[in-house]
Amino acid sequence: QECSVQLLLENILRSDATSTLLGGQLPIHVINNSQYISPLTASAEVKKTYVGDNLPSLDDAIHTALSDNIKTVMVVGPAGSGKTTALTKLVVGWAKGEHLQNFSYVFHFCLRELNSLDEMFSLETFLSHRHGHFTPEILSLALQEPEKLLFVFDELDQYKHSLDPAVHTLCTDLSQVASEPCLVASLLHGTLLKGATILVATTPTGHLEFLNGTRVEVLGFLKPQRKAYFEEFFTDPASANSALINMERTLGFYNFCTSPRFCWTVCSIYKSLVDAGESLPETLTQMFVSIMVHLIRALSLTEARSRDLVAALGRMASHCCLEQHSSCTKEEMYSFGFQQFLTSQTSVDVFLRVEGDLESDAGAFSFHSQLMQEFSLALSFFMDKSPCQSVKEMLEKHEGRAKFLDLYLAGLSEPTQRRPLEILLGEFNSDRILDFKQWLKSSSQKTLKDFYKDRQLHFFHLLHQCHNPSLVKEIITPSARIGISYGGLGLQDCVALNYVTVCLGEMEQLNLYSTKDFMEEEAESLVPAMALSEKIILSQSSLRTGSIPHLASALRNGRTKELDLSYSHLGDAKLKILCTGLRDCQLLTVCKLTEACCGDLASVLTSQNSQLHVLDLMFNDLGDQGFMQLCQALRSPYCKLQDLELHTCDLTAGSMEALSATLCSGQSELREINLTQNAIGDRGMELLSKSLQHPRCKLQCLNLYDSQLTGGCCAGLSEALKSEHWSLLELDLSVNELGQEGVLLLCEALSRPGCPIEKLGLTRCELTYSVFKELGSLLRGGTSRLKSLSVSLNSVGDQGAKHLWDAIAHPHCLLEVLEVEMLQLTDACVGDLCAAVSASKTLRSLDLRNNLLTNASVPALVQLMEDSHNIYNDFGEDVFEMLDSCSKIRY
């Protein structure tokens, strides 16, 4: 057995193959050169909430699964993610006695190599055929103890035979002779050698639906692993850091950058560019231009033969895309024009992967990666001198089958990016270049007029790939910069959106509404765009803690004046970080805060450089103690706050004394405050009333909607209204139980000559017929400045409302807006209503919604509205056509 294991080890470690730039470094070379860095893995549940910490490596995940006596382990990840290298390392480690010694025998298979077998075997002869280092005696003994056997199957996705158990008569007897596909299926389904452990590696494939077991998802190289890999590849730390920074900025937002194979390709081409004194690429297209130039130079072909090779690669790429085939036969390769290139293994290996003998007709050929396949297609299209196919036709032909095709076309359409290839291959087809430019401009401009986020983002990707700021400004003119929500962006989308914004130089509004998981990398990539935006909307969003410092940095160094974080559950800890960047912001809307945040907000308000004019804290549990901290800050000579939104902030009368003192201090710049749905009560209103008649109070708008007031507060408020120092222009007392006596006191005060109130809210305040009579008298009296009045949800009916109709018809009435929703109005009042509205010189909006008006009233209202004003109400469907005939009616 020791001899057989040694032969196995020697067989694995001995390889005549060589690494290729596109195919990646051979697994055994990685292991032997001590450059191995294990990719990361995660379960499906972990991937959804991935933060970046404590994810297991692929090696650890496999060892853990095998140690837990799991009989089938499926390692699933994209091509080039390190699966083959990890499995090779595992087998080598077992053979060296380093781990997994609970297994007596390990059988390692590359399933792609089994595709051409058409012989019949027993299991023992099959294993002997594939693993000649095991003697028949050892194999016979091994098969008697299945629980000590480990079968390693690599490249399941390349296996051409079905694993559907319904297709095979699965074997159960070791001596049974069957086809190779039947034996493999029997092993994988556990009917043969029951108790043996199976380890399978594959890209996502349909074969997986027939297998049961523990699934290990390969994430590949994330940022920390890429950093370690670059440091291993480049011996000079400065070169490693420079190369890594370039890759992260240029390519790191693409998913394929998690592939260890792709990282090796990038490092290899970067090193060749650095050694040649050339610049590193700025786009994905430039990266593949450098790769193509490197490979063509390596072949030392003439310009003519190089063009022939590119044309053949393009035809092959188109075939693979359209037919959805990953490989081509030798006959197909001849039809693409590869005859002159299939005579040398080296020239083919440079671009393609060869399965089987190059000289055999049974060989198969495929691209090393989908990326290179689509780049070859784009390149050959621009190299083709024939005029027969337009860009639009070519893209439509390959639509849904080539993900990066138009991105490559965008990059290659720019002279600076394609120039290195034109030096080697000759000039591109200028007509096709021009055709693409025209298609890009017309399609982009058309898409910008639509409100489809995904379409707009796709063209942002194309513009990013072009890497031409002048082109961005030409396409996205000021009139085309429409508002659209870009919430829920992936990292690639963030990079594209940021590029476009930076090229434009400014953004009126960056709408990231309803971003469900704003992560650190996404926020970091958007810092320049956020810094260039006058307004940032992140309402109803979920922000990771790591994203907040980047948002703060953008605010601190940018031109943002408004930040909307309403309904985003920011929390105190995140606000504390955000406060470091709020000095120049003029409007802030935040949510899910408590008393603990008020000290940080107070610090912002009292900063010498604070520009915060509007602070929206609605629906935050600040409490009285927290609000009193803000009141203290409002007295600072540096505080510029003018508008404070405190809707539902758990305030009581206990904090109104602090607010009153602030308003009377003469140091507060506060002009508007909203105390909606706080338990202010009559005691709190009494304290506020005293400050409202103070000569130093500058408040102009006070909202006390649903603040637990009663008629008991109206005497003090009435006295304040009579004061010559009263400064309020807007007062909302809606949804409070003020009652008849209380509001009559207010009406008396409102009739004072010079009373400045222009907007008054008395919705659902238990108003009566007598109150409406007094309001009508007030409006006709010639002293009232009221322009907006809301008395909705007070059931006074037609008789009460008649006083308002008489008032608005009077020449002394200044009302512009009147809301009378749910007053129990009927069709009987419509005659008086229409006469009053026709007579009014000022009324422009009348809200009649949810009254008892019927369809019979519609003709009169439509006739009225044809002449002047806006009326709101709910009517039956059979009169909609008549209502629609008058554009001024909204219903």
Side-chain angles (χ1 to χ4, degrees):
Q1 179 182 355
E2 290 181 6
C3 181
S4 297
V5 169
Q6 185 61 34
L7 288 171
L8 168 65
L9 184 59
E10 291 177 3
N11 186 56
I12 293 176
L13 294 178
R14 185 181 66 252
S15 175
D16 297 328
T18 57
S19 299
T20 61
L21 184 62
L22 296 173
Q25 195 172 19
L26 295 180
I28 203 60
H29 291 177
V30 176
I31 298 170
N32 286 340
N33 296 335
S34 301
Q35 291 182 337
Y36 181 71
I37 296 172
S38 183
L40 294 185
T41 62
S43 65
E45 291 73 21
V46 171
K47 285 179 72 176
K48 292 177 183 177
T49 58
Y50 167 63
V51 179
D53 298 324
N54 303 318
L55 289 174
S57 69
L58 178 54
D59 291 351
D60 290 342
I62 294 174
H63 288 179
T64 298
L66 295 178
S67 300
D68 289 344
N69 201 31
I70 297 171
K71 291 302 179 183
T72 302
V73 179
M74 297 172 290
V75 178
V76 183
S81 59
K83 304 181 298 297
T84 295
T85 301
L87 264 58
T88 303
K89 186 172 183 292
L90 178 139
V91 175
V92 169
W94 171 82
K96 290 182 176 180
E98 296 172 351
H99 50 231
L100 301 178
Q101 296 305 292
N102 53 312
F103 295 108
S104 298
Y105 302 93
V106 174
F107 299 97
H108 185 207
F109 295 92
C110 176
L111 287 171
R112 175 169 50 87
E113 297 175 355
L114 305 183
N115 286 328
S116 59
L117 289 182
D118 55 3
E119 302 175 47
M120 303 289 284
F121 303 94
S122 68
L123 179 60
E124 188 171 335
T125 56
F126 171 68
L127 293 177
S128 178
H129 179 265
R130 301 304 304 175
H131 290 266
H133 45 273
F134 288 118
T135 64
E137 293 77 17
I138 291 177
L139 281 174
S140 180
L141 289 172
L143 298 180
Q144 295 177 20
E145 297 182 284
E147 67 280 357
K148 292 186 178 182
L149 302 182
L150 171 62
F151 286 85
V152 179
F153 291 102
D154 195 11
E155 296 189 343
L156 178 65
D157 50 292
Q158 299 294 319
Y159 192 54
K160 294 183 178 179
H161 302 292
S162 174
L163 294 183
D164 185 352
V167 172
H168 305 282
T169 302
L170 297 179
C171 302
T172 57
D173 187 349
L174 297 181
S175 61
Q176 182 178 345
V177 175
S179 66
E180 170 272 322
C182 183
L183 290 176
V184 170
S186 301
L187 286 169
L188 290 173
H189 288 295
T191 62
L192 194 59
L193 282 180
K194 188 173 184 179
T197 300
I198 306 295
L199 174 61
V200 177
T202 181
T203 62
T205 174
H207 286 313
L208 290 172
E209 67 177 291
F210 301 113
L211 297 181
N212 294 315
T214 295
R215 185 162 170 158
V216 176
E217 299 281 350
V218 185
L219 297 180
F221 282 176
L222 303 181
K223 271 194 173 184
Q225 290 72 44
R226 290 201 288 265
K227 183 176 185 297
Y229 188 84
F230 272 67
E231 289 172 350
E232 282 286 340
F233 191 97
F234 292 91
T235 55
D236 175 37
S239 297
N241 186 55
S242 176
L244 179 64
I245 290 174
N246 180 274
M247 180 190 179
E248 295 299 333
R249 175 174 53 82
T250 305
L251 306 169
F253 45 88
Y254 288 113
N255 294 335
F256 50 74
C257 287
T258 61
S259 162
R261 178 199 295 173
F262 186 76
C263 287
W264 184 81
T265 301
V266 170
C267 286
S268 299
I269 202 67
Y270 275 22
K271 189 174 187 306
S272 70
L273 292 172
V274 170
D275 291 345
E278 298 178 25
S279 300
L280 297 181
E282 292 294 324
T283 66
L284 177 66
T285 302
Q286 279 188 320
M287 173 69 185
F288 274 86
V289 166
S290 298
I291 291 173
M292 182 65 79
V293 167
H294 181 85
L295 296 179
I296 291 176
R297 284 175 177 169
L299 293 177
S300 300
L301 301 177
T302 64
E303 179 181 309
R305 289 198 69 192
S306 296
R307 292 180 72 94
D308 290 343
L309 177 59
V310 167
L313 288 169
R315 286 188 283 269
M316 177 183 177
S318 180
H319 172 82
C320 291
C321 287
L322 296 177
E323 301 300 326
Q324 297 291 282
H325 289 168
S326 60
S327 62
C328 300
T329 65
K330 196 167 188 178
E331 182 180 354
E332 288 172 329
M333 297 295 283
Y334 283 155
S335 70
F336 304 143
F338 275 101
Q339 292 93 329
Q340 59 181 317
F341 303 107
L342 294 185
T343 57
S344 169
Q345 183 79 39
T346 304
S347 63
V348 175
D349 282 347
V350 164
F351 284 99
L352 305 173
R353 181 168 62 181
V354 183
E355 299 176 20
D357 188 351
L358 186 64
E359 296 183 1
S360 170
D361 290 337
F365 305 82
S366 60
F367 284 93
H368 287 288
S369 71
Q370 185 77 16
L371 289 169
M372 192 60 189
Q373 176 177 300
E374 294 183 18
F375 180 79
S376 299
L377 177 56
L379 176 59
S380 66
F381 177 77
F382 278 152
M383 294 296 299
D384 189 351
K385 297 294 186 179
S386 62
C388 60
Q389 190 177 40
S390 69
V391 169
K392 183 179 179 182
E393 291 170 338
M394 189 261 204
L395 290 174
E396 288 177 348
K397 181 179 179 181
H398 294 87
E399 187 176 5
R401 294 177 170 87
K403 181 179 179 181
F404 293 94
L405 177 57
D406 55 356
L407 290 177
Y408 287 135
L409 290 172
L412 290 171
S413 69
E414 288 296 320
T416 55
Q417 297 198 58
R418 68 175 184 265
R419 185 57 183 159
L421 279 172
E422 286 187 312
I423 294 172
L424 281 178
L425 302 173
E427 292 187 358
F428 285 19
N429 187 329
S430 58
D431 291 336
R432 289 192 171 186
I433 296 286
L434 179 61
D435 185 29
F436 177 83
K437 288 286 190 180
Q438 291 173 339
W439 171 86
L440 178 61
K441 291 176 184 179
S442 62
S443 299
S444 298
Q445 290 167 348
K446 180 180 178 181
T447 301
L448 285 169
K449 295 177 183 178
D450 299 326
F451 285 85
Y452 294 100
K453 179 185 74 174
D454 292 341
R455 294 181 191 175
Q456 288 193 14
L457 286 171
H458 182 69
F459 279 97
F460 291 172
H461 283 288
L462 295 181
L463 292 172
H464 178 234
Q465 202 60 216
C466 288
H467 225 65
N468 183 341
S470 298
L471 181 64
V472 175
K473 293 178 181 178
E474 180 183 349
I475 291 176
I476 309 178
T477 60
S479 60
R481 299 175 197 180
I482 58 176
I484 190 170
S485 173
Y486 293 106
L489 304 182
L491 182 57
Q492 295 180 35
D493 297 327
C494 289
V495 170
L497 175 60
N498 181 74
Y499 174 77
V500 168
T501 304
V502 170
C503 288
L504 296 175
E506 61 179 0
M507 179 78 80
E508 182 178 336
Q509 174 177 288
L510 181 60
N511 191 347
L512 302 174
Y513 168 81
S514 195
T515 296
K516 296 306 180 187
D517 200 12
F518 198 43
M519 301 182 71
E520 180 177 358
E521 284 190 330
E522 293 157 358
E524 183 179 9
S525 68
L526 279 174
V527 166
M530 291 190 291
L532 289 168
S533 303
E534 291 190 7
K535 181 176 182 179
I536 300 173
I537 300 175
L538 278 163
S539 57
Q540 295 194 27
S541 298
S542 173
L543 284 71
R544 293 287 182 92
T545 301
S547 70
I548 305 300
H550 298 294
L551 176 57
S553 173
L555 295 173
R556 185 167 54 250
N557 301 307
R559 60 200 299 265
T560 304
K561 302 303 180 185
E562 298 183 30
L563 174 62
D564 185 353
L565 290 162
S566 55
Y567 308 103
S568 289
H569 304 283
L570 188 69
D572 299 333
K574 293 175 184 175
L575 178 71
K576 187 177 186 69
I577 301 171
L578 186 63
C579 281
T580 62
L582 287 176
R583 309 305 181 197
D584 296 325
C585 197
Q586 295 180 5
L587 185 151
L588 173 65
T589 305
V590 285
C591 190
K592 208 64 176 178
L593 308 178
T594 69
E595 174 189 330
C597 79
C598 291
D600 296 310
L601 285 173
S603 177
V604 172
L605 291 171
T606 56
S607 167
Q608 187 171 355
N609 299 318
S610 174
Q611 297 296 319
L612 198 59
H613 291 168
V614 181
L615 180 58
D616 186 345
L617 296 170
M618 64 162 57
F619 304 115
N620 290 289
D621 298 328
L622 304 183
D624 289 334
Q625 294 302 313
F627 180 47
M628 285 191 279
Q629 290 184 65
L630 294 181
C631 287
Q632 185 67 33
L634 290 171
R635 301 185 203 180
S636 167
Y638 299 119
C639 181
K640 297 180 176 63
L641 197 68
Q642 296 181 3
D643 187 346
L644 183 56
E645 173 68 61
L646 294 167
H647 188 309
T648 317
C649 285
D650 200 25
L651 307 183
T652 71
S655 57
M656 291 303 102
E657 185 172 0
L659 175 58
S660 182
T662 296
L663 295 174
C664 297
S665 68
Q667 296 173 310
S668 170
E669 297 295 324
L670 206 60
R671 299 294 190 273
E672 299 182 29
I673 186 166
N674 186 351
L675 296 169
T676 292
Q677 292 187 337
N678 287 289
I680 304 302
D682 291 347
R683 172 58 182 161
M685 189 67 244
E686 180 182 345
L687 292 168
L688 288 175
S689 294
K690 291 179 179 179
S691 63
L692 292 174
Q693 52 190 312
H694 195 281
R696 292 183 178 176
C697 180
K698 302 173 185 176
L699 203 64
Q700 296 179 352
C701 178
L702 176 62
N703 192 334
L704 290 160
Y705 183 102
D706 193 12
S707 294
Q708 300 185 18
L709 308 182
T710 72
C713 75
C714 291
L717 182 56
S718 178
E719 285 300 313
L721 274 165
K722 294 176 182 178
S723 168
E724 61 177 331
H725 300 299
W726 175 277
S727 60
L728 278 188
L729 301 177
E730 299 182 15
L731 176 62
D732 194 344
L733 299 169
S734 297
V735 194
N736 287 293
E737 298 177 2
L738 302 183
Q740 175 176 296
E741 292 184 10
V743 179
L744 287 176
L745 285 173
L746 296 180
C747 288
E748 178 189 352
L750 287 166
S751 65
R752 171 182 68 86
C755 181
I757 289 288
E758 296 181 355
K759 184 175 182 179
L760 180 63
L762 293 171
T763 294
R764 216 190 80 183
C765 285
E766 300 184 351
L767 307 187
T768 63
Y769 173 87
S770 297
V771 172
F772 273 70
K773 181 179 180 181
E774 193 62 30
L775 284 170
S777 177
L778 170 68
L779 293 169
R780 294 193 307 271
T783 59
S784 171
R785 298 182 183 179
L786 274 177
K787 295 180 180 179
S788 175
L789 176 63
S790 173
V791 288
S792 300
L793 282 85
N794 293 290
S795 301
V796 296
D798 295 341
Q799 293 302 311
K802 189 176 188 307
H803 295 288
L804 297 182
W805 309 147
D806 292 344
I808 61 178
H810 197 279
H812 287 164
C813 181
L814 304 178
L815 272 187
E816 297 175 0
V817 177
L818 177 60
E819 297 179 7
V820 288
E821 182 181 1
M822 292 182 70
L823 292 192
Q824 303 284 311
L825 304 180
T826 71
D827 293 336
C829 79
V830 172
D832 292 336
L833 182 158
C834 290
V837 171
S838 296
S840 173
K841 297 289 193 295
T842 58
L843 194 68
R844 57 180 175 80
S845 178
L846 177 63
D847 188 343
L848 286 166
R849 283 176 296 182
N850 299 310
N851 281 292
L852 304 179
L853 303 180
T854 69
N855 296 349
S857 299
V858 171
L861 292 174
V862 169
Q863 184 61 47
L864 172 68
M865 294 307 297
E866 288 290 349
D867 302 325
S868 54
H869 310 280
N870 292 316
I871 294 180
Y872 307 88
N873 205 74
D874 297 322
F875 299 106
E877 292 185 7
D878 54 339
V879 297
F880 280 5
E881 185 174 346
M882 186 181 297
L883 289 166
D884 286 340
S885 69
C886 178
S887 61
K888 296 180 180 179
I889 294 183
R890 288 180 283 173
Y891 54 88

